[in-house]
Amino acid sequence: MCGIVGQISNEKFVITDTVNALKRLEYRGYDSVGVATMEGDIYKDIGHISPFMAMLPLVATNAAICHTRWATHGKVTKENAHPHASFDGSIFLVHNGIIENHKELKKKLSISGIEFVSKTDTEVIAHYIAYEIQSGLSIVDAIRSFMGVAQGTFAVLLLHKEEQRIYAFKRDSPLVLGILDDGFIVASDIYAFSDKSPKAVFFDDDEYAIISPDSYEFFSAKGPIQKQVTEVTWTGTVEKDASFEHYMIKEIHEQPAAARRLLASLEGEQSKNMNELATIARSIDRILFVAAGTSYHASLIGVYILNSIGVEAHTLIASEFHNYMLADEHALVIAISQSGETMDVVKAVKHARSKGAKVASIVNVPHSTIQRLSDFSIEILAGQEICVASTKTYTNQVIALLRLAQLMGFETDLSTIPDDISKVIESSEAYVMELARTMKDTHDIYIIGRGISYPVSREVALKLKEISYIHAEGMMGGELKHGTIALIEEGVIVFAFIQGPDYDMLSNIEEVEVRGANVIMIADNPNFSPDFLLSLGTMSAFPIAATIIGQLFSYYIAKEKGLPIDKPRNLAKSVTVK
Ligand code: AGP
């Protein structure tokens, strides 16, 4: 979370150029925004990037850094917004990550008389480095000294006043250098410069770089290092389509095309990788998925299908993976992540590797940290997803898992999925819109499913929480009677997702209806007379199609409520803190 961008060039540029590149990373956080020039001018404010840009003066410079914040330490205030300056005004920096021992470092610096103006963990970096320089170290040695004492995660861009250079260093938080025709952009991820250049150099942990307008040098703790320049290829487009009011609905509608693109690739250029992954999966004792949020829900579907063909598979939310999952050389760990940067997943993957497990990944963002940490990686080719809520990437994650299972013996025809998705959107959108109008004052929604519908219930609940701000619980139909049913009373809405002739789900529906619940049934069995009948070419499309109904509900309820759909409060798309 937090997006950082630095720009440097021989030609002077206006700082709105740099902030424009930052805008492409706004999904990483949008609590506050700020920019600093090498001359020492700092502009910052709370809120989103567009209003900030509108009031920015047209200052020109040869080096600038900027930041969009997702607050961790210190409230959302102007003082806590980045960039932060050192006590002597010589150092300006932006940071993504958390300095875990910031209190300890702050205490030491405060004893030396340094006053802190913010409540952030970041400010300590600026003061520490400036203090070390005043004590006689070169700027590079001061940075190295900081990297030696710092605990936690960081990607930092630093300007030393009047010096035409950007200093960049990182541990665990992502950082990448983009090579432009005239100068460089250094940023949290490749999307900051994907409209300008495909050439990227990825930082590894504990590396730092000195970036000048004409050249760059990379260093590890041992000295200078040579880095590989990667040519990045992009999938899909991110242009706002005037026919859609929000990215979320645009991305929901993109799902048939994204699914088609992935299926073609899994049969084409990614087929070798996919076959290798299936071969490894067959040769080990068990598959362990690791993921967070929506990606975790996709992994539950993977577990369900693989177990159905006798393949031992488990999944766990990444932040607890090291506590509850036995990863060893007999396991294949498959990390699923849209961004490929989720810190909890990165940590779990590093843990699994240290225990001898093989690691594969299913990611959307090419060259992301998780992809680079993996022995094998499948790209889901959904194209950039701008809305904080995952929609099309969930669908493609499920398709990738279905394909893996198919190669391991799961009998299915995946070719009808794109058309199934199109049909579901066409046939249900207007009715969802109508029902959503009646739900705008709803406080609680309970969502139940069994078997392959259980992950759907979890995913739809997540969408309703993050986008519609409705308290929603997604649970196993069988679990309701063990407590949660106490909350069912007259008028409470229950969504029931039913795949196949699941009469146990019908019983669960009866149990809540007799207690006054209004049930909305989404099923593929016409005999059940559901509110939404999913007529699908393949049962494999069910967890995708059913979830899309939920995506549409969360979108249209949020729209009725006038909520900030693409950038919901308190969230960020790329969660790069623990
Ligand atoms: C999805 O709608 C959420 N915004 C969130 O739960 C997300 O799925 C989670 O943070 C994991 O992200 P990743 O797939 O990029 O790892």
Side-chain angles (χ1 to χ4, degrees), residues 292-295 336-342 345 370 388-390 397 459 462-463 466 571-575:
T294 293
S295 303
I336 306 182
S337 174
Q338 182 285 129
S339 61
E341 298 294 349
T342 301
V345 183
I370 292 167
V388 162
S390 294
Q397 287 169 342
E459 174 56 11
L462 180 63
K463 289 284 113 33
E466 64 181 345
L571 298 180
K573 186 140 189 85
S574 198
V575 184

Side-chain angles (χ1 to χ4, degrees), residues 69-106:
R69 180 170 187 238
W70 185 83
T72 59
H73 293 58
K75 288 187 177 166
V76 179
T77 64
K78 195 168 171 178
E79 293 70 39
N80 291 334
H82 300 218
H84 289 284
S86 59
F87 60 92
D88 59 356
S90 67
I91 297 288
F92 314 100
L93 57 82
V94 291
H95 165 221
N96 169 29
I98 291 176
I99 306 302
E100 289 166 0
N101 57 339
H102 69 103
K103 284 195 177 145
E104 216 175 293
L105 296 172
K106 182 175 175 177

Side-chain angles (χ1 to χ4, degrees), residues 326-342:
L326 182 65
D328 57 21
E329 68 277 18
H330 304 296
L332 168 67
V333 169
I334 304 184
I336 306 182
S337 174
Q338 182 285 129
S339 61
E341 298 294 349
T342 301

